[in-house]
Amino acid sequence: MSTYELEQTDQLVALYTIIRDEKTKRDEFIFCADRIIRMLVEKASEFLPTKPKEIKTPTGCTFDGREFVGKICAVSIVRSGEAMEKAARDICQKIRIGKILIQRDEKTAKPILFYHKLPEDIAERYVLLLDPMLATGGSACKAAEILKQNGVKEEKIVFVNLISCPEGINEFTKKFPKVKIITGVIDKSLNEKAYILPGLGDFGDRYFGT
Ligand code: PRP
Ligand code: URA
């Protein structure tokens, strides 16, 4: 199974209730979205490779642990994905962050690619692809295409996402079956304007206040 949904604990549902609520003010929206995003990035890190490592503790014991292996980076789909960069930096201090600027056409909801800038050695890295909203899947597919064109192997991509829906998941997994999707919650469907239902509206507008 390539899609992982966070466990819907009461605490998590309470956070989603705040960010979904149309009455929620921006500072509380940011605070709660950041908390969920941190959980998502931590969950995504579980899919990154480790290898065995034996260490000695100050009590003289030997401990059979593990260590991180492999280079990683994050790539955000601008603008909304930028809201997830801090969480990536919080789990990996010096993480390199690439950017792919994709905007949905407001009328057709089709993704338009404007710009991308990626670490030059991205083909050697595991990639945390960051975008909070997976609606039709158009933007995420375009971003994954660019990563593949730059030499990243599909199985080394972990797509980290706050809210998804069946339409977006189906579209994305059909084209990129080896990419893992870590999503906070799978919502019901899309409306006629390709917004997620129940969703939270426009993530970027609410997070950045623009
Ligand atoms: C939003 C969101 C995704 C995309 C999802 O971005 O952040 O990138 O829509 O929709 P899709 O799955 O149908 O492609 P948008 O283009 O609205 O730009 P923004 O991040 O600046 O709000
Ligand atoms: N982008 C958003 O911000 N929200 C949606 O529901 C769909 C795309």
Side-chain angles (χ1 to χ4, degrees):
M1 178 71 166
S2 66
T3 304
Y4 181 94
E5 184 187 27
L6 288 186
E7 189 188 341
Q8 302 299 297
T9 62
D10 288 351
Q11 287 291 321
L12 185 67
V13 174
L15 289 171
Y16 272 100
T17 304
I18 294 169
I19 62 171
R20 289 181 191 280
D21 189 339
E22 61 178 1
K23 294 205 200 91
T24 298
K25 298 263 184 325
R26 186 165 159 239
D27 52 354
E28 202 182 5
F29 182 89
I30 294 171
F31 181 79
C32 294
D34 284 350
R35 278 193 62 192
I36 304 173
I37 289 166
R38 176 64 193 256
M39 291 179 208
L40 287 164
V41 172
E42 292 284 2
K43 178 49 76 179
S45 72
E46 293 175 17
F47 294 86
L48 299 171
T50 59
K51 66 174 185 191
K53 182 178 186 184
E54 186 187 283
I55 51 119
K56 282 258 161 51
T57 73
T59 54
C61 298
T62 300
F63 179 75
D64 288 325
R66 301 196 69 82
E67 68 178 330
F68 303 116
V69 285
K71 297 205 268 187
I72 71 164
C73 71
V75 173
S76 64
I77 303 182
V78 180
R79 145 191 80 156
S80 295
E82 289 180 305
M84 304 173 81
E85 292 176 4
K86 181 177 179 301
R89 277 196 295 269
D90 286 346
I91 66 145
C92 178
Q93 274 175 337
K94 291 184 187 164
I95 194 166
R96 286 174 190 238
I97 298 180
K99 309 259 185 182
I100 302 180
L101 173 52
I102 296 170
Q103 296 281 284
R104 294 203 313 179
D105 180 284
E106 284 191 3
K107 289 210 181 77
T108 64
K110 295 269 180 269
I112 306 169
L113 171 68
F114 289 95
Y115 166 86
H116 67 275
K117 185 83 181 167
L118 303 170
E120 72 287 348
D121 60 350
I122 194 162
E124 294 161 30
R125 292 177 184 267
Y126 286 81
V127 178
L128 297 178
L129 178 62
L130 309 175
D131 193 336
M133 306 304 280
L134 176 63
T136 64
S139 307
C141 286
K142 174 88 45 206
E145 246 170 67
I146 291 165
L147 295 178
K148 283 187 76 173
Q149 282 163 13
N150 280 270
V152 182
K153 291 211 173 67
E154 235 181 275
E155 51 271 35
K156 290 174 86 175
I157 303 172
V158 183
F159 178 39
V160 192
N161 161 261
L162 183 75
I163 301 187
S164 59
C165 61
E167 293 89 332
I169 291 175
N170 291 340
E171 180 65 14
F172 190 81
T173 51
K174 203 169 61 191
K175 294 196 174 137
F176 304 99
K178 294 187 199 148
V179 174
K180 282 172 209 69
I181 303 177
I182 311 301
T183 184
V185 63
I186 304 172
D187 269 8
K188 287 203 168 50
S189 57
L190 291 176
N191 68 12
E192 65 294 343
K193 290 189 171 155
Y195 272 79
I196 299 172
L197 299 177
L200 50 69
D202 190 304
F203 181 92
D205 288 2
R206 297 192 68 186
Y207 194 97
F208 295 110
T210 47

